[in-house]
Amino acid sequence: MAERRIKNGMRDGWGLRVAAAAMLVGAGLTAWWQGAPDITGPDVMKPTRQTKVKDVDAAAFTNAQVGDCLTWDIADDGSVSNFVVVGCDEQHRYEVADRVDLRNVDPSIGQFGDDSPEPDQDTLLQLRDSVCREPVQKYVNGKLDPKGRFVPSPILPPSKSWADGDRTMLCGLQPTAAGGAPAQVKGRVADLDQATLVEAGQCVALDESGGLQPIDCGEPHLLEAVGKVDLREKFPDRTPTPDEQNEHLSQACVAAAEEYLGGEENLYQSTLLPFWMSIAPESYDAGTHSVNCWLMKDNGFGGFSSLAGSAKGEFTINGEPKVDPPPRNPLREGGSPQPTAPGAGAPTGTVGGGGAAGGGAAGN
């Protein structure tokens, strides 16, 4: 772990993880009516059990219109119930972008006449990619970050409705959490930040695909979140360049790390470095505006050391207790450490395929 570098600047890895989850998130939604794989755990590409639907409200599906928001309950055993339309200002799991009559789709995708069976998972994925993506993009006026937290997903009618001849398919957007698990939101996609973020105190490690996966801080990890920064507060009316973002974040993330640990002296004594990732202009324009600030430890070779334990308590670096830092030099007035320039002491990375990232930290 200590020698591994974050794949394509971490954010791409995270995006790939969300995209992988979306492949089954969409299929899982559409298949809930007849039984779907569990896609909420870390092994999303290897479903191991079936989810059975009970008490499904078919009327809610039938009456759902473009612009409506939907939600449902998921029990501990994975069963789904109480499928309802709710106000978009309430917690929900889905926003409808289009209603499609499957009888009218291109025959090359599939034929869905009165006697046709319900689509299998491969067909559902094809419907998502070939039928849903275009209306979803149109619904949000093209403002959808493919590396963001909202993924296009189709929903089919309940099995009984399908058997009775209903060939309606809903196309819409489902929010995902860090790691790709389905999530809930309040508000419409067009009004929400599309950034995939974690809460302060959450730690992340690399999964097998090279993406970031939330993990208990007691387990080996690369980064510990110390806060969030919404770049629109600094740049309310334009897209900042990566250099402008880094200049701002070099101050904001140091301040967040100091607040998280209880002061700049505690940050210095931790020997950890504040770290952040800038947002690629194309992702920023599409609706991703916020970043996490993190704590990390470089390994001296352009990579990350492996941490275990929260920075707020006892922790190890590559399995060893931290070594006390040397006296600080240069010093600010009053004996405070001077942060290094952005990028110093931390590996670089990209967000959404562009923009350098670095860490500003208390220097020796």
Side-chain angles (χ1 to χ4, degrees):
M1 177 78 74
E3 297 300 321
R4 294 184 68 184
R5 301 193 63 171
I6 292 182
K7 182 177 180 180
N8 199 15
M10 285 197 298
R11 183 64 171 86
D12 257 0
W14 195 318
L16 287 172
R17 176 66 176 179
V18 172
M23 291 179 67
L24 288 181
V25 167
L29 280 172
T30 56
W32 271 349
W33 316 109
Q34 67 266 23
D38 172 24
I39 47 75
T40 60
D43 297 320
V44 309
M45 298 307 290
K46 301 175 183 179
T48 58
R49 64 181 175 85
Q50 296 295 308
T51 300
K52 297 298 182 182
V53 172
K54 55 185 178 182
D55 302 325
V56 171
D57 186 355
F61 174 91
T62 303
N63 296 329
Q65 300 298 315
V66 173
D68 282 345
C69 291
L70 311 176
T71 195
W72 46 85
D73 295 332
I74 304 177
D76 291 341
D77 64 359
S79 60
V80 175
S81 60
N82 299 326
F83 184 95
V84 293
V85 177
V86 298
C88 291
D89 58 347
E90 301 178 46
Q91 289 277 10
H92 59 271
R93 301 179 183 273
Y94 193 84
E95 185 172 343
V96 181
D98 196 16
R99 291 176 61 90
V100 176
D101 186 340
L102 290 177
R103 294 184 183 88
N104 299 327
V105 302
D106 191 312
S108 64
I109 299 173
Q111 298 187 17
F112 306 100
D114 291 340
D115 298 326
S116 64
E118 295 175 78
D120 59 21
Q121 187 159 295
D122 289 341
T123 304
L124 292 172
L125 295 179
Q126 189 174 7
L127 287 169
R128 184 204 63 184
D129 294 337
S130 301
V131 177
C132 281
R133 286 193 183 276
E134 184 176 343
V136 163
Q137 286 282 354
K138 183 178 179 181
Y139 177 74
V140 294
N141 295 317
K143 299 292 186 179
L144 182 65
D145 184 359
K147 299 179 178 66
R149 60 175 171 150
F150 295 101
V151 296
S153 300
I155 302 180
L156 291 179
S159 292
K160 183 178 185 304
S161 298
W162 183 276
D164 290 341
D166 187 353
R167 295 298 180 265
T168 302
M169 180 177 72
L170 302 182
C171 293
L173 288 158
Q174 181 175 13
T176 58
Q184 299 183 67
V185 296
K186 290 183 179 181
R188 296 187 178 279
V189 173
D191 301 325
L192 296 174
D193 195 328
Q194 296 183 32
T196 304
L197 303 173
V198 301
E199 297 298 325
Q202 176 68 69
C203 295
V204 295
L206 290 182
D207 64 15
E208 293 180 356
S209 69
L212 289 177
Q213 177 70 30
I215 192 171
D216 186 285
C217 289
E219 299 296 321
H221 60 270
L222 298 185
L223 302 169
E224 182 173 346
V226 299
K228 307 172 186 177
V229 177
D230 186 343
L231 290 166
R232 289 172 297 183
E233 295 177 3
K234 176 68 175 178
F235 307 99
D237 53 5
R238 64 185 179 88
T239 299
T241 67
D243 285 345
E244 289 175 323
Q245 294 178 48
N246 286 329
E247 182 178 357
H248 176 59
L249 292 169
S250 68
Q251 302 299 317
C253 285
V254 170
E258 290 174 351
E259 180 179 359
Y260 180 75
L261 292 180
E264 60 184 0
E265 177 65 20
N266 289 345
L267 172 59
Y268 178 76
Q269 293 298 328
S270 76
T271 74
L272 300 178
L273 298 174
F275 181 81
W276 60 89
M277 292 168 280
S278 59
I279 303 171
E282 57 269 26
S283 289
Y284 198 96
D285 290 341
T288 293
H289 302 127
S290 297
V291 301
N292 272 121
C293 295
W294 309 90
L295 286 172
M296 57 80 72
K297 181 69 174 180
D298 68 294
N299 63 7
F301 302 98
F304 292 73
S305 294
S306 176
L307 306 173
S310 171
K312 285 189 170 184
E314 297 294 325
F315 65 93
T316 61
I317 302 171
N318 293 332
E320 300 292 334
K322 71 178 178 68
V323 177
D324 290 338
R328 292 170 292 173
N329 184 38
L331 299 178
R332 294 179 185 164
E333 257 185 63
S336 299
Q338 176 67 42
T340 62
T348 58
T350 60
V351 173
N364 294 333

